[in-house]
Amino acid sequence: HVQLVESGGGSVQPGGSLRLPCAASGYTYSTDCMGWFRQAPGKGREGVAVITDGTTSYTDFVKGRFTISRDNAKSNLYLQMNSLKPEDAATYYCAARRRGSCLLDWTLYENWGQGTQVTVS
């Protein structure tokens, strides 16, 4: 079982930047799929970015603005968010899955952090 703890959330103005770290404990491997998902008030959870063994995938609305990365030695996951927009405001969750395709579908992930709040205004 992997435990995930997000941090780094906060309030920024439009156009600003934030970096979200996610610390993973337990057994993690570079081939595990890890990702960032978000949920705004009144909306469903959606995929933002995923990474496995160095391969990344982004949803269209963050391409060119967000960067997902992973420090395999420390089992940490990061999301660098630049050019933030008001519509990026949400609770951001770190997630991991041991087996299967690395997709942006949140229903596939069995390990979740508690979330960190991002406000853009």
Side-chain angles (χ1 to χ4, degrees):
H1 180 69
V2 177
Q3 292 184 320
L4 304 169
V5 180
E6 306 95 333
S7 60
S11 181
V12 296
Q13 294 182 342
S17 297
L18 277 176
R19 185 172 187 248
L20 305 182
C22 171
S25 59
Y27 291 101
T28 59
Y29 303 92
S30 64
T31 52
D32 290 348
C33 180
M34 298 187 73
W36 289 97
F37 300 80
R38 70 186 186 187
Q39 187 166 14
K43 296 186 177 181
R45 190 166 297 192
E46 58 186 4
V48 176
V50 295
I51 185 169
T52 181
D53 206 14
T55 299
T56 60
S57 180
Y58 297 89
T59 191
D60 286 346
F61 47 77
V62 305
K63 283 181 180 177
R65 299 190 298 123
F66 291 11
T67 302
I68 188 171
S69 61
R70 184 172 177 181
D71 178 348
N72 289 322
K74 297 181 179 180
S75 296
N76 289 342
L77 183 71
Y78 303 95
L79 184 67
Q80 177 66 44
M81 305 187 295
N82 298 328
S83 302
L84 282 160
K85 303 176 181 180
E87 51 264 41
D88 294 318
T91 298
Y92 282 73
Y93 297 91
C94 172
R97 66 179 310 203
R98 177 57 48 81
R99 297 179 180 88
S101 299
C102 198
L103 303 175
L104 289 163
D105 181 353
W106 68 269
T107 63
L108 302 175
Y109 293 75
E110 64 268 17
N111 298 291
W112 290 87
Q114 82 289 348
T116 186
Q117 183 74 37
V118 172
T119 303
V120 185
S121 63

